[in-house]
Amino acid sequence: MTDSLTVRDNRTGQEYDVPILDGTIKAADLGKIKTAEDTPGLAVYDPGFVNTASCRSSVTYIDGEKGILEYRGYPIEQLAEKSSFLEVAYLLIHGALPTKAEYDAWVHEITYHTFVHENVKTFMQGFRYDAHPMGMLMASVGALSTFYPDARNISDADNRHMQIVRMIAKMPTLGAWSFRHAQGKPYVYPDNDLSYTANFLSMLFKMSESKYEADPRLVKALDVLFILHADHEQNCSTNAVRSVGSSQVDPYSAVAAGVGALYGPLHGGANEAVLRMLKRIGSKENIPAFIQGVKDGNERLMGFGHRVYKNFDPRATIIKKACDDVFEVTGVNPLLEIAKELEKIALEDEYFIKRKLYPNVDFYSGLIYEAFQFPPEMFTVLFAIGRTPGWLAQWLELVQDKEQKIARPKQIYTGDRTLDFVPASERWA
Ligand SMILES: CC(C)(COP(=O)(O)OP(=O)(O)OC[C@H]1O[C@@H](n2cnc3c(N)ncnc32)[C@H](O)[C@@H]1OP(=O)(O)O)[C@@H](O)C(=O)NCCC(=O)NCCS
């Protein structure tokens, strides 16, 4: 067996041998296939990059058929159960688990950098009272590039490390302040005696008490949710970070692009749609009629199905367990009953079985966030905080990868050519 592809171009009758490496061919090799020397070579048309690998990566492995998700080789189930978000962040960024000394130094660095410049606060206060927190997060993380102009020196390893630490540390501060802004409440400064996730909850919910200490079960559940969202290989927002980062801009600007991509309803907004759907169903008796509507093609069962996972989404199983832990503290959300019944009925139904439709990460996460009393606009902000180490690990990989170039796809031009311009004075005469 030879690791190559023989392509016969029926326009010319010529044959080409294209090497296969790691299950891929190089698109540039197809560019050598031409009808004449001065014509453009063959290109690949792939809107949405559904079958195009854009990089080599050792950050995250997914096997959608088998329901496997691993960060740096470690299964998500083990990380969610036994690790912490900051340890997972270290793993993603550095590629290996930390020693005790490395972990302590990492936690210290992140904790030390949670504060933002006072002018960031003034800047955030300038947003309208009803500004969407994701818009505020995108703008404020991008604005950090103006506070740290040295960040553009991306070829220096120490400098890159500094910006990575700053960004992981400051995202919860920016996210929490965007939440407080919408509520007209004073912004709460970080409390560096608390853990990363407990401090985030303090910045969100602290009022006049001298110290805000969230229930440890809630802290743990949110920490697990951050772990589950920490990376998902070349998804839309990660691709945005890589694409913008490929221009060698500073990482704050690249991550702001990732936040922008995540803001879109097709990426970060599905859990909000699940909540709306559950509220619309209203009670268990209405489930059969709803399911029938889905099967008739009038509805979509939000939180079911995934482009990559075709047997189960490993994150959904972990989230379901976290749901029980959270509701033990907050009291059960009546929508949970509907969600569980809906899942049970759907998993036994031929329509869903045949199409391999299973609950995804968003089916239960919205319920958890609602139990924390987050408004739906905040759901994506939480996703962004969790995804930040993943974006940065991928950015770091990109800037050190000698094979990478500035992202610049081709197009198939469909417009007019060589028209003669007639000046307005003649056209309108
Ligand atoms: C995630 C999603 C976009 C993946 O889409 P995809 O991989 O392009 O899959 P397709 O849309 O081609 O779906 C394949 C079949 O399953 C059906 N299907 C997919 N998701 C469905 C859902 N949530 N409810 C009902 N039917 C669904 C499609 O109608 C299609 O049926 P058909 O073969 O009879 O036409 C899709 O499953 C979806 O919209 N899910 C709901 C939104 C959601 O939860 N998104 C969060 C993802 S983490």
Side-chain angles (χ1 to χ4, degrees), residues 357-377:
L357 299 172
Y358 298 84
N360 60 47
V361 70
D362 291 314
F363 192 66
Y364 286 104
S365 63
L367 285 172
I368 297 191
Y369 295 149
E370 199 180 56
F372 274 92
Q373 303 197 326
F374 288 119
E377 309 83 75

Side-chain angles (χ1 to χ4, degrees), residues 174-282:
L174 301 176
W177 286 7
S178 67
F179 171 75
R180 302 283 292 201
H181 182 83
Q183 304 196 324
K185 290 181 181 159
Y187 300 174
V188 178
Y189 287 103
D191 179 346
N192 288 348
D193 292 338
L194 298 174
S195 72
Y196 185 84
T197 306
N199 170 49
F200 177 50
L201 288 169
S202 163
M203 290 189 289
L204 288 162
F205 298 121
K206 185 170 179 292
M207 290 306 290
S208 60
E209 61 272 51
S210 56
K211 198 165 189 74
Y212 181 91
E213 282 181 86
D215 189 297
R217 289 168 294 179
L218 292 183
V219 175
K220 173 70 187 157
L222 191 56
D223 206 69
V224 167
L225 281 157
F226 284 157
I227 293 174
L228 297 185
H229 286 93
D231 197 52
H232 215 229
E233 50 117 307
Q234 306 310 314
N235 55 86
C236 177
S237 57
T238 302
N239 185 55
V241 171
R242 279 182 172 265
S243 186
V244 171
S246 75
S247 73
Q248 301 193 348
V249 73
D250 67 88
Y252 299 102
S253 305
V255 166
V259 178
L262 196 61
Y263 199 172
L266 290 189
H267 193 1
N271 47 15
E272 190 183 334
V274 173
L275 267 190
R276 274 203 306 273
M277 175 190 75
L278 294 175
K279 284 180 181 160
R280 193 157 52 85
I281 295 173

Side-chain angles (χ1 to χ4, degrees), residues 5 9 11 20 47 74 82 114 173-174 195 202 222 236 246 261 264 275 286 307 315 335 359 368 379 383 386 429:
L5 181 76
D9 186 347
R11 299 170 301 178
I20 297 177
Y74 294 98
K82 297 176 187 157
T114 49
T173 312
L174 301 176
S195 72
S202 163
L222 191 56
C236 177
S246 75
L275 267 190
N286 299 332
R307 171 59 63 78
R315 302 167 301 172
L335 297 179
I368 297 191
F379 294 0
F383 190 159

Side-chain angles (χ1 to χ4, degrees), residues 41-167:
L42 194 67
V44 178
Y45 180 57
D46 189 8
F49 305 125
V50 288
N51 195 29
T52 298
S54 63
C55 60
R56 293 175 182 281
S57 180
S58 60
V59 181
T60 290
Y61 175 79
I62 298 178
D63 183 332
E65 285 300 322
K66 298 199 182 107
I68 295 173
L69 169 61
E70 293 170 358
Y71 299 157
R72 301 288 190 183
Y74 294 98
I76 190 69
E77 293 82 359
Q78 293 181 24
L79 294 172
E81 193 190 332
K82 297 176 187 157
S83 186
S84 66
F85 178 62
L86 279 193
E87 189 180 36
V88 167
Y90 184 99
L91 172 69
L92 286 166
I93 300 292
H94 292 88
L97 288 170
T99 61
K100 167 95 174 76
E102 286 166 342
Y103 179 71
D104 289 345
W106 174 247
V107 172
H108 176 77
E109 273 187 305
I110 303 267
T111 310
Y112 184 81
H113 285 280
T114 49
F115 278 73
V116 294
H117 192 289
E118 275 296 288
N119 286 3
V120 174
K121 190 171 130 191
T122 321
F123 161 74
M124 290 185 82
Q125 278 165 337
F127 279 95
R128 258 179 69 128
Y129 67 97
D130 58 353
H132 195 293
M134 269 305 260
M136 289 181 70
L137 184 67
M138 177 168 57
S140 51
V141 75
L144 290 184
S145 70
T146 68
F147 289 84
Y148 306 109
D150 55 321
R152 71 171 74 104
N153 184 10
I154 62 162
S155 55
D156 180 77
D158 290 341
N159 194 304
R160 289 194 300 253
H161 176 77
M162 190 67 255
Q163 315 315 329
I164 286 171
V165 166
R166 281 183 177 141
M167 226 175 314

Side-chain angles (χ1 to χ4, degrees), residues 270 300-307 310 351 355 357 360 362:
R300 204 145 250 244
L301 177 49
M302 299 311 288
F304 262 62
H306 197 275
R307 171 59 63 78
K310 295 299 176 196
Y351 175 94
R355 290 172 178 76
L357 299 172
N360 60 47
D362 291 314

